[in-house]
Amino acid sequence: IHYPLGAALAELGRDEEALAALSIAHRNRPDHDATLIVLTTVLHRQGRLEEVRNLIGAAVFRRGSVAKSLALLQHGQALMPDDPVTRHRLSAWFGQETPARAADAYVIDLFDRYADLFDHDLSRLDYRAPELLIEAVAAVLDSPAGTLEVLDAGCGTGLCGPLLRPYARCLTGVDLSAGMIEKAQERGSYDTLIVAELTAFLTGQPARYDLIGSADTLVYFGDLAPVLTAAAAALRPDGWLAFTVEQAPDEPALTFRLNRSGRYGHTADYVRQTLAATGLLAPCRMTNIILRQEENTPVHGYAVLAQRPGSLDSTA
């Protein structure tokens, strides 16, 4: 009964009383769209935009599917047309526009919410990106000797940390989500952990690293040119870049696409061409892999290796 009471009070402009009733209704039925729509409308009317974003974001995250949240997302966009989190989710679903990369706000919102559940959920999806990335690295590097300056680019909760640690004299992790960095800290694999946007961070690290690894991070970049150019400049001569991406079909004129998952897929030709266009990286190896399972369907990707050549010719 609290929902119709709250809706009636909202219609009468008695916002504080409406919020009291609607909050009870939402607490008892957190996935009732009608309650959420009226509740967020009243909060928006009061200028409480962060609460609106949080309610909509929490509902979408809890449902685990944009498909189950379309009406709520469309309502959120009507209230806040410029909100980057809602805009990215709707772009992924309807495909009316393809942003060059996921907005920082979207990534932070998603992974700060996901930090506590991330490792558990991925274990159910047979997630193998970190292991497959290290297999690719092991194919071109000597046995780990703990001598390299290593960056885990987009470290998340630190799943790659124990795998990269044997190669590292110093292991740095960087991620945009403070929640993920907090979880990575608990693993104890890193010498340094930094909250930062990846391209901006790499730009400030000229010729710093012998190895940059990035598992399942560049799936939030459509246009790879800025981040790969920055990564190339952050490598020392003879340094290696290893990363994974999701596959997009090799169709004419297709470079990348934004999938309904909110992640990007890239064509093999586009990845090779973008690496070559940096002017510093020699594409060396691209392996077809299965990153994880989603709804019992394999998600195909590539494990990619590229090297910044030194003064002598080097081969992979």
Side-chain angles (χ1 to χ4, degrees):
I1 196 171
H2 290 94
Y3 162 66
L5 173 61
L9 290 166
E11 186 70 20
L12 292 169
R14 293 162 61 176
D15 285 357
E16 292 303 325
E17 294 168 278
L19 288 173
L22 292 166
S23 295
I24 295 171
H26 176 60
R27 186 164 61 247
N28 290 325
R29 293 186 62 190
D31 287 327
H32 185 230
D33 268 8
T35 297
L36 278 164
I37 285 170
V38 180
L39 178 56
T40 53
T41 298
V42 176
L43 288 169
H44 183 267
R45 192 157 65 204
Q46 293 199 333
R48 296 160 65 175
L49 302 187
E50 192 57 38
E51 292 176 69
V52 174
R53 292 188 185 96
N54 190 57
L55 281 167
I56 293 174
V60 175
F61 180 78
R62 187 167 53 248
R63 298 172 192 191
S65 169
V66 173
K68 297 176 183 176
S69 309
L70 283 179
L72 187 58
L73 286 168
Q74 289 168 322
H75 171 69
Q77 187 177 51
L79 292 177
M80 302 179 297
D82 295 328
D83 180 56
V85 178
T86 300
R87 188 166 62 242
H88 183 83
R89 288 185 170 119
L90 289 175
S91 294
W93 189 259
F94 291 111
Q96 294 174 341
E97 60 180 60
T98 301
R101 50 155 294 183
D104 289 356
Y106 171 79
V107 175
I108 292 168
D109 180 81
L110 175 64
F111 286 104
D112 279 357
R113 295 182 192 282
Y114 206 11
D116 288 336
L117 301 173
F118 188 77
D119 291 1
H120 176 265
D121 281 4
L122 289 185
S123 68
R124 296 186 296 105
L125 300 176
D126 192 26
Y127 176 69
R128 300 190 60 233
E131 291 82 0
L132 294 169
L133 184 78
I134 299 305
E135 285 180 14
V137 169
V140 296
L141 290 180
D142 295 332
S143 297
T147 59
L148 304 180
E149 191 82 17
V150 181
L151 175 68
D152 187 354
C155 62
T157 62
L159 292 174
C160 285
L163 304 176
L164 290 169
R165 182 74 254 181
Y167 291 94
R169 176 181 69 253
C170 180
L171 176 59
T172 300
V174 61
D175 201 278
L176 190 53
S177 164
M180 290 297 213
I181 287 288
E182 184 178 339
K183 293 296 179 182
Q185 183 72 52
E186 295 172 4
R187 292 187 187 276
S189 298
Y190 298 89
D191 298 291
T192 305
L193 285 163
I194 299 165
V195 178
E197 191 281 318
L198 183 56
T199 305
F201 174 80
L202 289 166
T203 301
Q205 308 294 319
R208 172 75 181 273
Y209 298 105
D210 302 297
L211 171 63
I212 298 174
S214 185
D216 226 22
T217 296
L218 300 191
V219 294
Y220 294 99
F221 294 76
D223 180 3
L224 293 177
V227 68
L228 291 183
T229 299
L235 285 172
R236 293 171 175 166
D238 295 321
W240 287 93
L241 171 65
F243 62 92
T244 66
V245 291
E246 291 186 13
Q247 287 186 21
D250 283 313
E251 298 174 354
L254 180 64
T255 54
F256 59 84
R257 70 179 184 187
L258 179 58
N259 299 317
R260 286 186 169 182
S261 63
R263 297 184 296 271
Y264 291 85
H266 299 86
T267 67
D269 283 346
Y270 171 73
V271 173
R272 292 190 189 98
Q273 291 166 9
T274 307
L275 285 168
T278 67
L280 293 173
L281 290 173
C284 296
R285 188 172 303 201
M286 184 177 293
T287 307
N288 289 286
I289 57 174
I290 295 176
L291 292 161
R292 65 186 171 279
Q293 302 287 324
E294 283 187 2
E295 298 179 353
N296 297 317
T297 300
V299 176
H300 293 271
Y302 301 111
V304 184
L305 277 167
Q307 187 177 35
R308 178 172 179 171
S311 56
L312 300 176
D313 291 338
S314 58
T315 59

PDB file of all heavy atoms in Angstrom, residues 142-167:
ATOM      1  N   ASP A 142      61.892 -15.231 -21.177  1.00  0.00           N
ATOM      2  CA  ASP A 142      62.614 -16.291 -20.489  1.00  0.00           C
ATOM      3  C   ASP A 142      61.906 -16.638 -19.185  1.00  0.00           C
ATOM      4  O   ASP A 142      60.965 -15.964 -18.761  1.00  0.00           O
ATOM      5  CB  ASP A 142      64.044 -15.842 -20.194  1.00  0.00           C
ATOM      6  CG  ASP A 142      64.855 -15.612 -21.473  1.00  0.00           C
ATOM      7  OD1 ASP A 142      64.540 -16.278 -22.482  1.00  0.00           O
ATOM      8  OD2 ASP A 142      65.763 -14.762 -21.450  1.00  0.00           O
ATOM      9  N   SER A 143      62.355 -17.680 -18.545  1.00  0.00           N
ATOM     10  CA  SER A 143      61.782 -18.072 -17.264  1.00  0.00           C
ATOM     11  C   SER A 143      61.796 -16.885 -16.310  1.00  0.00           C
ATOM     12  O   SER A 143      62.757 -16.102 -16.288  1.00  0.00           O
ATOM     13  CB  SER A 143      62.578 -19.227 -16.663  1.00  0.00           C
ATOM     14  OG  SER A 143      62.505 -20.367 -17.498  1.00  0.00           O
ATOM     15  N   PRO A 144      60.730 -16.719 -15.522  1.00  0.00           N
ATOM     16  CA  PRO A 144      60.657 -15.563 -14.626  1.00  0.00           C
ATOM     17  C   PRO A 144      61.868 -15.470 -13.701  1.00  0.00           C
ATOM     18  O   PRO A 144      62.265 -16.455 -13.084  1.00  0.00           O
ATOM     19  CB  PRO A 144      59.382 -15.830 -13.822  1.00  0.00           C
ATOM     20  CG  PRO A 144      58.575 -16.750 -14.669  1.00  0.00           C
ATOM     21  CD  PRO A 144      59.555 -17.594 -15.411  1.00  0.00           C
ATOM     22  N   ALA A 145      62.433 -14.276 -13.637  1.00  0.00           N
ATOM     23  CA  ALA A 145      63.620 -14.089 -12.803  1.00  0.00           C
ATOM     24  C   ALA A 145      63.473 -12.904 -11.865  1.00  0.00           C
ATOM     25  O   ALA A 145      64.426 -12.521 -11.189  1.00  0.00           O
ATOM     26  CB  ALA A 145      64.848 -13.895 -13.687  1.00  0.00           C
ATOM     27  N   GLY A 146      62.276 -12.294 -11.828  1.00  0.00           N
ATOM     28  CA  GLY A 146      62.054 -11.183 -10.923  1.00  0.00           C
ATOM     29  C   GLY A 146      62.917  -9.978 -11.207  1.00  0.00           C
ATOM     30  O   GLY A 146      63.348  -9.278 -10.275  1.00  0.00           O
ATOM     31  N   THR A 147      63.137  -9.684 -12.482  1.00  0.00           N
ATOM     32  CA  THR A 147      64.057  -8.606 -12.843  1.00  0.00           C
ATOM     33  C   THR A 147      63.394  -7.454 -13.597  1.00  0.00           C
ATOM     34  O   THR A 147      64.060  -6.467 -13.912  1.00  0.00           O
ATOM     35  CB  THR A 147      65.185  -9.157 -13.731  1.00  0.00           C
ATOM     36  OG1 THR A 147      64.613  -9.731 -14.914  1.00  0.00           O
ATOM     37  CG2 THR A 147      65.990 -10.216 -12.988  1.00  0.00           C
ATOM     38  N   LEU A 148      62.107  -7.555 -13.895  1.00  0.00           N
ATOM     39  CA  LEU A 148      61.468  -6.602 -14.794  1.00  0.00           C
ATOM     40  C   LEU A 148      60.631  -5.570 -14.046  1.00  0.00           C
ATOM     41  O   LEU A 148      60.102  -5.826 -12.965  1.00  0.00           O
ATOM     42  CB  LEU A 148      60.556  -7.345 -15.782  1.00  0.00           C
ATOM     43  CG  LEU A 148      61.206  -8.447 -16.624  1.00  0.00           C
ATOM     44  CD1 LEU A 148      60.156  -9.073 -17.544  1.00  0.00           C
ATOM     45  CD2 LEU A 148      62.378  -7.907 -17.429  1.00  0.00           C
ATOM     46  N   GLU A 149      60.524  -4.404 -14.662  1.00  0.00           N
ATOM     47  CA  GLU A 149      59.576  -3.386 -14.208  1.00  0.00           C
ATOM     48  C   GLU A 149      58.255  -3.693 -14.918  1.00  0.00           C
ATOM     49  O   GLU A 149      58.155  -3.611 -16.141  1.00  0.00           O
ATOM     50  CB  GLU A 149      60.081  -1.997 -14.595  1.00  0.00           C
ATOM     51  CG  GLU A 149      59.324  -0.858 -13.969  1.00  0.00           C
ATOM     52  CD  GLU A 149      59.785  -0.543 -12.548  1.00  0.00           C
ATOM     53  OE1 GLU A 149      60.889  -0.988 -12.162  1.00  0.00           O
ATOM     54  OE2 GLU A 149      59.045   0.151 -11.840  1.00  0.00           O
ATOM     55  N   VAL A 150      57.217  -4.070 -14.146  1.00  0.00           N
ATOM     56  CA  VAL A 150      55.986  -4.613 -14.722  1.00  0.00           C
ATOM     57  C   VAL A 150      54.794  -3.760 -14.295  1.00  0.00           C
ATOM     58  O   VAL A 150      54.686  -3.354 -13.131  1.00  0.00           O
ATOM     59  CB  VAL A 150      55.759  -6.077 -14.274  1.00  0.00           C
ATOM     60  CG1 VAL A 150      54.478  -6.636 -14.898  1.00  0.00           C
ATOM     61  CG2 VAL A 150      56.958  -6.945 -14.666  1.00  0.00           C
ATOM     62  N   LEU A 151      53.892  -3.526 -15.245  1.00  0.00           N
ATOM     63  CA  LEU A 151      52.644  -2.823 -14.968  1.00  0.00           C
ATOM     64  C   LEU A 151      51.470  -3.737 -15.270  1.00  0.00           C
ATOM     65  O   LEU A 151      51.375  -4.313 -16.365  1.00  0.00           O
ATOM     66  CB  LEU A 151      52.528  -1.567 -15.835  1.00  0.00           C
ATOM     67  CG  LEU A 151      51.197  -0.807 -15.720  1.00  0.00           C
ATOM     68  CD1 LEU A 151      51.057  -0.176 -14.324  1.00  0.00           C
ATOM     69  CD2 LEU A 151      51.072   0.266 -16.809  1.00  0.00           C
ATOM     70  N   ASP A 152      50.561  -3.869 -14.317  1.00  0.00           N
ATOM     71  CA  ASP A 152      49.271  -4.524 -14.525  1.00  0.00           C
ATOM     72  C   ASP A 152      48.274  -3.408 -14.824  1.00  0.00           C
ATOM     73  O   ASP A 152      47.826  -2.691 -13.929  1.00  0.00           O
ATOM     74  CB  ASP A 152      48.878  -5.304 -13.273  1.00  0.00           C
ATOM     75  CG  ASP A 152      47.616  -6.152 -13.470  1.00  0.00           C
ATOM     76  OD1 ASP A 152      46.987  -6.043 -14.535  1.00  0.00           O
ATOM     77  OD2 ASP A 152      47.277  -6.911 -12.538  1.00  0.00           O
ATOM     78  N   ALA A 153      47.949  -3.237 -16.106  1.00  0.00           N
ATOM     79  CA  ALA A 153      47.169  -2.103 -16.581  1.00  0.00           C
ATOM     80  C   ALA A 153      45.681  -2.447 -16.549  1.00  0.00           C
ATOM     81  O   ALA A 153      45.186  -3.196 -17.397  1.00  0.00           O
ATOM     82  CB  ALA A 153      47.596  -1.733 -18.002  1.00  0.00           C
ATOM     83  N   GLY A 154      44.985  -1.885 -15.574  1.00  0.00           N
ATOM     84  CA  GLY A 154      43.603  -2.275 -15.339  1.00  0.00           C
ATOM     85  C   GLY A 154      43.580  -3.501 -14.451  1.00  0.00           C
ATOM     86  O   GLY A 154      43.021  -4.532 -14.799  1.00  0.00           O
ATOM     87  N   CYS A 155      44.189  -3.387 -13.280  1.00  0.00           N
ATOM     88  CA  CYS A 155      44.459  -4.570 -12.460  1.00  0.00           C
ATOM     89  C   CYS A 155      43.221  -5.151 -11.804  1.00  0.00           C
ATOM     90  O   CYS A 155      43.230  -6.314 -11.377  1.00  0.00           O
ATOM     91  CB  CYS A 155      45.502  -4.245 -11.395  1.00  0.00           C
ATOM     92  SG  CYS A 155      44.993  -2.956 -10.220  1.00  0.00           S
ATOM     93  N   GLY A 156      42.134  -4.381 -11.700  1.00  0.00           N
ATOM     94  CA  GLY A 156      40.935  -4.900 -11.061  1.00  0.00           C
ATOM     95  C   GLY A 156      41.213  -5.356  -9.640  1.00  0.00           C
ATOM     96  O   GLY A 156      41.897  -4.686  -8.865  1.00  0.00           O
ATOM     97  N   THR A 157      40.702  -6.524  -9.280  1.00  0.00           N
ATOM     98  CA  THR A 157      40.919  -7.067  -7.941  1.00  0.00           C
ATOM     99  C   THR A 157      42.268  -7.747  -7.793  1.00  0.00           C
ATOM    100  O   THR A 157      42.558  -8.319  -6.745  1.00  0.00           O
ATOM    101  CB  THR A 157      39.818  -8.071  -7.573  1.00  0.00           C
ATOM    102  OG1 THR A 157      39.854  -9.169  -8.499  1.00  0.00           O
ATOM    103  CG2 THR A 157      38.439  -7.416  -7.593  1.00  0.00           C
ATOM    104  N   GLY A 158      43.092  -7.699  -8.847  1.00  0.00           N
ATOM    105  CA  GLY A 158      44.455  -8.219  -8.744  1.00  0.00           C
ATOM    106  C   GLY A 158      44.616  -9.664  -9.153  1.00  0.00           C
ATOM    107  O   GLY A 158      45.577 -10.320  -8.735  1.00  0.00           O
ATOM    108  N   LEU A 159      43.717 -10.181  -9.997  1.00  0.00           N
ATOM    109  CA  LEU A 159      43.820 -11.582 -10.408  1.00  0.00           C
ATOM    110  C   LEU A 159      45.113 -11.869 -11.164  1.00  0.00           C
ATOM    111  O   LEU A 159      45.640 -12.987 -11.098  1.00  0.00           O
ATOM    112  CB  LEU A 159      42.612 -11.965 -11.277  1.00  0.00           C
ATOM    113  CG  LEU A 159      41.257 -12.016 -10.559  1.00  0.00           C
ATOM    114  CD1 LEU A 159      40.139 -12.264 -11.560  1.00  0.00           C
ATOM    115  CD2 LEU A 159      41.259 -13.094  -9.482  1.00  0.00           C
ATOM    116  N   CYS A 160      45.637 -10.881 -11.883  1.00  0.00           N
ATOM    117  CA  CYS A 160      46.899 -11.083 -12.610  1.00  0.00           C
ATOM    118  C   CYS A 160      48.123 -10.915 -11.712  1.00  0.00           C
ATOM    119  O   CYS A 160      49.229 -11.325 -12.096  1.00  0.00           O
ATOM    120  CB  CYS A 160      47.014 -10.096 -13.777  1.00  0.00           C
ATOM    121  SG  CYS A 160      45.973 -10.486 -15.193  1.00  0.00           S
ATOM    122  N   GLY A 161      47.936 -10.323 -10.551  1.00  0.00           N
ATOM    123  CA  GLY A 161      49.075 -10.008  -9.693  1.00  0.00           C
ATOM    124  C   GLY A 161      49.962 -11.200  -9.376  1.00  0.00           C
ATOM    125  O   GLY A 161      51.183 -11.151  -9.605  1.00  0.00           O
ATOM    126  N   PRO A 162      49.413 -12.310  -8.840  1.00  0.00           N
ATOM    127  CA  PRO A 162      50.265 -13.458  -8.522  1.00  0.00           C
ATOM    128  C   PRO A 162      50.929 -14.076  -9.745  1.00  0.00           C
ATOM    129  O   PRO A 162      51.992 -14.699  -9.629  1.00  0.00           O
ATOM    130  CB  PRO A 162      49.283 -14.444  -7.874  1.00  0.00           C
ATOM    131  CG  PRO A 162      48.147 -13.610  -7.409  1.00  0.00           C
ATOM    132  CD  PRO A 162      48.036 -12.496  -8.405  1.00  0.00           C
ATOM    133  N   LEU A 163      50.333 -13.899 -10.925  1.00  0.00           N
ATOM    134  CA  LEU A 163      50.883 -14.474 -12.152  1.00  0.00           C
ATOM    135  C   LEU A 163      51.999 -13.602 -12.727  1.00  0.00           C
ATOM    136  O   LEU A 163      52.956 -14.116 -13.322  1.00  0.00           O
ATOM    137  CB  LEU A 163      49.768 -14.648 -13.192  1.00  0.00           C
ATOM    138  CG  LEU A 163      48.565 -15.477 -12.728  1.00  0.00           C
ATOM    139  CD1 LEU A 163      47.486 -15.497 -13.802  1.00  0.00           C
ATOM    140  CD2 LEU A 163      48.995 -16.907 -12.407  1.00  0.00           C
ATOM    141  N   LEU A 164      51.887 -12.293 -12.557  1.00  0.00           N
ATOM    142  CA  LEU A 164      52.927 -11.375 -13.038  1.00  0.00           C
ATOM    143  C   LEU A 164      54.079 -11.236 -12.042  1.00  0.00           C
ATOM    144  O   LEU A 164      55.205 -10.908 -12.427  1.00  0.00           O
ATOM    145  CB  LEU A 164      52.323  -9.995 -13.300  1.00  0.00           C
ATOM    146  CG  LEU A 164      51.380  -9.865 -14.502  1.00  0.00           C
ATOM    147  CD1 LEU A 164      50.651  -8.529 -14.466  1.00  0.00           C
ATOM    148  CD2 LEU A 164      52.148 -10.031 -15.811  1.00  0.00           C
ATOM    149  N   ARG A 165      53.814 -11.471 -10.778  1.00  0.00           N
ATOM    150  CA  ARG A 165      54.803 -11.241  -9.725  1.00  0.00           C
ATOM    151  C   ARG A 165      56.149 -11.936  -9.976  1.00  0.00           C
ATOM    152  O   ARG A 165      57.215 -11.332  -9.743  1.00  0.00           O
ATOM    153  CB  ARG A 165      54.220 -11.697  -8.394  1.00  0.00           C
ATOM    154  CG  ARG A 165      55.100 -11.492  -7.163  1.00  0.00           C
ATOM    155  CD  ARG A 165      55.150 -10.037  -6.769  1.00  0.00           C
ATOM    156  NE  ARG A 165      56.417  -9.400  -7.091  1.00  0.00           N
ATOM    157  CZ  ARG A 165      56.678  -8.131  -6.815  1.00  0.00           C
ATOM    158  NH1 ARG A 165      55.762  -7.365  -6.232  1.00  0.00           N
ATOM    159  NH2 ARG A 165      57.839  -7.607  -7.134  1.00  0.00           N
ATOM    160  N   PRO A 166      56.180 -13.195 -10.458  1.00  0.00           N
ATOM    161  CA  PRO A 166      57.483 -13.842 -10.656  1.00  0.00           C
ATOM    162  C   PRO A 166      58.376 -13.141 -11.672  1.00  0.00           C
ATOM    163  O   PRO A 166      59.608 -13.290 -11.626  1.00  0.00           O
ATOM    164  CB  PRO A 166      57.111 -15.246 -11.146  1.00  0.00           C
ATOM    165  CG  PRO A 166      55.744 -15.484 -10.603  1.00  0.00           C
ATOM    166  CD  PRO A 166      55.073 -14.152 -10.675  1.00  0.00           C
ATOM    167  N   TYR A 167      57.780 -12.341 -12.578  1.00  0.00           N
ATOM    168  CA  TYR A 167      58.584 -11.624 -13.574  1.00  0.00           C
ATOM    169  C   TYR A 167      59.108 -10.300 -13.036  1.00  0.00           C
ATOM    170  O   TYR A 167      59.999  -9.696 -13.635  1.00  0.00           O
ATOM    171  CB  TYR A 167      57.729 -11.338 -14.817  1.00  0.00           C
ATOM    172  CG  TYR A 167      57.369 -12.560 -15.617  1.00  0.00           C
ATOM    173  CD1 TYR A 167      56.164 -13.226 -15.404  1.00  0.00           C
ATOM    174  CD2 TYR A 167      58.235 -13.069 -16.585  1.00  0.00           C
ATOM    175  CE1 TYR A 167      55.827 -14.357 -16.142  1.00  0.00           C
ATOM    176  CE2 TYR A 167      57.912 -14.191 -17.324  1.00  0.00           C
ATOM    177  CZ  TYR A 167      56.703 -14.834 -17.098  1.00  0.00           C
ATOM    178  OH  TYR A 167      56.374 -15.962 -17.822  1.00  0.00           O
TER     179      TYR A 167
END
